[in-house]
Amino acid sequence: MINKLVIFGVGLIGGSFAMALRQADFARHIVGFGRSMENMSAALGTYVIDEIGMDPAAAVKDADLVLLAVPVGQMGEIMQAIGPHLASHTVVTDAGSTKQDVVALARKHLSRHLSRFVPGHPIAGAERSGVKAAKEDLFRDRTVVLTPLNETDPAARELVASLWAGCG
């Protein structure tokens, strides 16, 4: 159980992650960020998230886990915004389709937090996008590839692995 989950990108992947963890009773409070207020309102209205994030720095302050479920090209800006505000216990993971670029961005923007960074990628998807395409069983019987760094704390890796396992 994590008390606070922050998801950047509440679409198909981020929304499905939130729904699966909520169904498994693994997350108490979920804060979501997204580009479209229409999508975020739909996420809030269907209880995919509990709160629409407005300030990334404030949202990650007490977070147990941060999921970056946005296109890789958007991750650097988000990492830069949240990096200085992460608590020492906060674990950061991603769902990006490439790892080399994501790891390079993390080394640049999350350098003080690399021990709590767990790169990953769920091998799942659908033709549709957005939170309305999200499904609580999207990850059931699917593979998730975790690629922890040499610096990654084993406890952080285990937390991320257990949450994905909780998604099915």
Side-chain angles (χ1 to χ4, degrees), residues 13 121-127 135-145 164-165 167-168:
I13 300 297
H121 178 59
I123 311 301
E127 297 86 33
K135 301 181 337 180
E136 62 192 27
D137 65 349
L138 180 68
F139 307 115
R140 188 161 296 132
D141 299 324
R142 301 293 181 143
T143 299
V144 175
V145 179
W164 281 114
C167 290

Side-chain angles (χ1 to χ4, degrees), residues 116-130:
R116 307 297 285 166
F117 179 61
V118 184
H121 178 59
I123 311 301
E127 297 86 33
R128 296 177 33 219
S129 62

Side-chain angles (χ1 to χ4, degrees), residues 35-92:
R35 292 179 300 186
S36 157
M37 188 51 73
E38 178 184 345
N39 189 64
M40 297 309 299
S41 294
L44 186 64
T46 55
Y47 304 105
V48 173
I49 61 173
D50 299 302
E51 176 184 346
I52 298 173
M54 297 297 178
D55 178 6
V60 301
K61 182 179 175 203
D62 299 318
D64 295 306
L65 184 90
V66 174
L67 172 65
L68 304 176
V70 297
V72 173
Q74 296 175 16
M75 287 190 193
E77 183 179 336
I78 295 168
M79 288 179 184
Q80 184 176 21
I82 67 173
H85 308 285
L86 295 168
S88 62
H89 75 278
T90 304
V91 173
V92 179

